[in-house]
Structures are given as C-alpha cells and as structure tokens.
Amino acid sequence: MAELDTSGGGKKGKKVRSKKQSTRVDLTAMVDLAFLLITFFMLTTSLSKPVAMDVFKPDKNEKDESVTMDFPESRTMTILIGKGGKVAWYMGLVGATPTIESTRQLRESLIDMKGKVLAANNNNPDKGLIVIVKPTKAAHYKDFVDVMDETKIAGIETLAIDDDNIKPAEIDMMKASGVY
Amino acid sequence: MPKAKVARKSTAIDMTAMCDVSFLLLTFFILTATARQPDPLEVAIPASTVEFKVPDKDISIVTIAKGKVLYEIVGRDIKIRTLERMGEEYGIQFNDEEKKRFAVIPAFGVPIGNLKQFIMMEPDQRKASGLETMGLPMADTTERNELGRWIFHSRKAVAELHNQSMQISIKGDANEEYPAIKKVVDIFQKQDMNKFSLITSPKGGI
C-alpha cells in the first residue's frame, strides 16, 4: 500500500517491516445501524393487511316491486340499527317490544335467540334463526359493520340486509326508544 | 504458594454473526414492505373479526368518506383498458402518455371532464388543486352517474383481459352515515352486483 513512512528515519539500513495488521473490523457501528433500520421498517410496515367482509344483498327486482319474501315470524329476528351505536331488535312482527342494546351486547342476544329457536324447532338445522338487518338513516357505517360482524360471530346462517322496507311503525318504535 | 492468575479476557465480541442476522432481518423487512400510497381522503376503517384477506387483483375499491366517493381500480392493465372504454363513452381521447400516467394513480375522485387535466398534474399539484378529493358524481341518470360507469367499464375490462369477474369492495369511513353507503350499494345492485365486500381492519383478540 502507498503509505508514508512516518516512523522516523533513525534506523537506517534496517529492513522496513510492514506491520502485520489485524483483519478484524469493528462491526459494532454497523450492527447499530442495521438494527436502527430494522426498527424503522418494522414500525412502518403494516403486516396486517385489511380484511374483506363479504356481504350479500337480496336481488333487487326493479321490474316487479311487489315480489316480497315472507319469513315465518316465530323464527325471524329483526335488527334495526339506530344512532349512537344502538340497535333495537325484536322477534316476529312489528309491534313486539323491542330490546334496545349496544352492538356489543347484541352478540349474546343473537346466540341466545339462535339457541331458543333451534330448541323450539327440535334442533332442525333447516329451521334456524332468520336475521333481518335493517340499517336506518340514523346508522353509521361502523355500526353496520359491527352488526354484520356480530352475526358472523354468532354463526347466523340466514341473514338478509334490508334497507328499503323500513316500516313507519319501526321508525316510530325507535323514536320512542330514543335511538332514531 | 503461587497466585492463581485469572486470565484476562478481551471484552471485544465477534460481531460478525450478529451483523449477519441483523442484515438478514433488514433485507426481509425491506422486501416485505409495501410502499403504501396515502389515500387522498382520510379513511378510518372499522374493525371486524373476519379473516379473508383483500385479494390483490381483479378487485376495485370504492372509498366513501366525508360524503365523497373515490374509485380505485387495481392493476395497471385494467386501469388503462377502463380508461379507454370511458374515453370512448364520453368522447374523450386519451393519448399514450396520459394512459401511462393514469395507470399509476391509486384512487381518484375526479369528474370525467377534469380527468385529463388531473392526469397531467404532478402529485403535489393534485392535492393542491383540490381536484383529488372532488369525488365522483353519481347522479341518478345513467350518463351522469360516473361512478356507475367506471364500475361498469372496469368490470368489462376485467372480463376482457383476465376472463374473471371483478370483485367490488367498499372502504368506508367508520363515521360515514349509512345513506351514503346505501347510495353506492344501490349503484352496485343496479348492475346486478348483489355480492360485495366491506373492507375492514383486523380486530385483535375477542
């Protein structure tokens, strides 16, 4: 290597021996840097990719609006989503006393009703609970997702989303309970 | 008695292995990191417990936030074909340069009349001009319902190029009012798309 001999020129005639240098490099700084970068990338990457919740809506028959589906009232649970993350649900026909609760509490009610309906129908899997979700104008998107999520957790197989046929009686009922 | 001598050990540790490991990890994180493009609109997506990952092709995403609607088509080839089809319908010619630039735009919410101008802007200009967050018009009539037309043409483009049916998903802000979502869902249903997905963030532990 081209290096200046600075060791002084005192000893003349002697052979200049190049010092044997260690090949070791101090890697501490490099490791420091590498860990810093790792930390940065770990914190900025979102490993959790968003998930997709599949939703089906009943087909809209625009030519013939009169086509409706009838559900047996003993097995039907209607969930109305109102304001402030509250839902009002009732079994059977409009007019039944609704239960007002938060989306968080809905899960237990769903599982409870599912069990009751199954028991009433001799555990016939074809005659399980039918859930109709009706998001009203007062509902927020988050509440809708929450309710859909709760029905998935409760394992409700027959589910319908209906946002077109919200009856005035249902709105009145929700207003009376202060969730609309 | 001779004194027992404790051999003095060097305090330097061999860092080579540690260095190797840390760089391996670093490489892993760099390669798995996907540069996330910021959404033009701030969207706080609600959480759910479902476990299906959002597919990364043959899908398009409708973003709904603050009453505005943005549309995102996934896949460069699909984007270009959709743009061509939209151009044909609205009588606008897009040149190759414009198509190329459109292919890298993530979500957009620009009325078709301003689209040409929007494409030719630089990213920071797009933000400054306010065009980025105008939202797609979705009036009731077919030709003014641009969101509906975009969806229609991107579906056609996916069918043409990939021979697949396109999935559609909604990425809605948690605080969005339900009628805004319903309006978009009604557009899907007008095109006989009764199945769609809601994009949510995974919820940890129940």
Side-chain angles (χ1 to χ4, degrees):
Chain A
M1 271 216 267
E3 254 178 9
L4 274 179
D5 184 18
T6 49
S7 59
K11 296 152 195 165
K12 269 183 185 165
K14 261 197 180 168
K15 213 179 179 185
V16 180
R17 246 192 220 147
S18 62
K19 244 191 204 158
K20 202 182 250 176
Q21 261 166 347
S22 158
T23 50
R24 293 194 159 217
V25 188
D26 187 14
L27 290 177
T28 322
M30 192 162 166
V31 173
D32 282 356
L33 185 77
F35 269 99
L36 187 81
L37 284 172
I38 288 180
T39 322
F40 171 73
F41 276 99
M42 266 171 75
L43 294 181
T44 50
T45 31
S46 51
L47 276 178
S48 55
K49 237 176 130 191
V51 289
M53 178 194 279
D54 280 340
V55 175
F56 298 86
K57 273 193 84 182
D59 192 22
K60 232 184 214 174
N61 195 335
E62 293 204 330
K63 288 172 207 100
D64 189 0
E65 293 272 353
S66 65
V67 177
T68 50
M69 230 205 279
D70 285 325
F71 300 113
E73 63 173 281
S74 63
R75 295 198 278 129
T76 310
M77 175 176 179
T78 308
I79 303 172
L80 291 150
I81 310 174
K83 67 176 181 195
K86 295 271 189 215
V87 297
W89 65 267
Y90 61 89
M91 293 297 295
L93 293 175
V94 198
T97 344
T99 311
I100 312 287
E101 54 190 12
S102 72
T103 47
R104 213 64 190 107
Q105 293 161 309
L106 185 65
R107 187 182 312 167
E108 277 128 59
S109 313
L110 276 168
I111 294 171
D112 185 40
M113 286 321 292
K114 191 188 169 198
K116 274 188 190 155
V117 167
L118 259 184
N121 288 292
N122 305 322
N123 290 325
N124 182 350
D126 293 336
K127 290 200 169 166
L129 180 66
I130 299 164
V131 173
I132 304 173
V133 177
K134 291 189 176 178
T136 61
K137 283 199 176 74
H140 279 207
Y141 177 62
K142 181 181 176 296
D143 310 327
F144 175 60
V145 172
D146 281 345
V147 170
M148 295 304 292
D149 198 30
E150 296 302 335
T151 59
K152 289 238 159 82
I153 293 169
I156 306 295
E157 273 153 30
T158 325
L159 178 83
I161 304 163
D162 188 354
D163 46 22
D164 292 315
N165 308 306
I166 297 168
K167 297 186 186 95
E170 287 173 325
I171 304 261
D172 290 343
M173 188 190 79
M174 289 178 74
K175 272 189 185 146
S177 320
V179 290
Y180 188 78
Chain B
M1 220 172 88
K3 231 185 191 171
K5 245 188 202 159
V6 179
R8 194 183 278 178
K9 277 190 184 138
S10 153
T11 50
I13 313 166
D14 188 11
M15 286 276 182
T16 324
M18 185 156 164
C19 194
D20 284 355
V21 172
S22 56
F23 267 96
L24 188 79
L25 278 172
L26 183 60
T27 321
F28 170 75
F29 278 106
I30 291 180
L31 292 183
T32 51
T34 38
R36 204 165 28 144
Q37 276 141 329
D39 263 323
L41 277 176
E42 277 282 313
V43 184
I45 52 178
S48 82
T49 54
V50 288
E51 278 159 4
F52 297 105
K53 293 266 182 283
V54 178
D56 42 19
K57 62 187 257 244
D58 297 337
I59 189 171
S60 63
I61 299 162
V62 180
T63 307
I64 309 169
K66 300 186 184 82
K68 306 275 174 53
V69 174
L70 309 183
Y71 191 53
E72 178 177 0
I73 309 164
V74 176
R76 305 178 73 142
D77 51 340
I78 305 291
K79 268 187 203 163
I80 292 174
R81 186 69 196 117
T82 311
L83 185 68
E84 286 168 0
R85 294 187 66 105
M86 280 300 277
E88 277 164 34
E89 178 170 332
Y90 286 87
I92 303 170
Q93 277 289 327
F94 293 100
N95 59 33
D96 285 345
E97 159 89 16
E98 283 162 339
K99 284 178 197 165
K100 227 183 190 166
R101 293 183 71 127
F102 183 71
V104 291
I105 295 178
F108 58 92
V110 191
I112 189 95
N114 300 74
L115 188 60
K116 234 179 163 61
Q117 178 199 355
F118 179 72
I119 289 174
M120 293 319 283
M121 282 179 186
E122 295 304 322
D124 50 332
Q125 274 181 308
R126 284 181 190 147
K127 203 161 201 93
S129 67
L131 276 177
E132 192 172 54
T133 48
M134 273 180 90
L136 289 170
M138 32 178 212
D140 296 325
T141 53
T142 319
E143 63 276 8
R144 290 288 298 130
N145 190 337
E146 288 176 21
L147 176 68
R149 300 319 292 160
W150 278 109
I151 294 171
F152 177 79
H153 287 298
S154 51
R155 286 177 73 197
K156 286 275 181 202
V158 171
E160 261 175 41
L161 298 172
H162 292 182
N163 223 350
Q164 288 276 334
S165 63
M166 191 187 81
Q167 268 198 54
I168 193 136
S169 52
I170 294 181
K171 189 198 238 172
D173 189 78
N175 280 321
E176 198 57 40
E177 312 236 313
Y178 186 76
I181 311 286
K182 182 172 166 8
K183 218 167 152 188
V184 173
V185 173
D186 284 345
I187 292 172
F188 296 170
Q189 292 209 289
K190 263 206 182 105
Q191 300 185 19
D192 285 328
M193 301 177 86
N194 292 317
K195 184 189 170 229
F196 50 91
S197 33
L198 308 175
I199 294 187
T200 56
S201 62
K203 200 187 249 174
I206 320 157

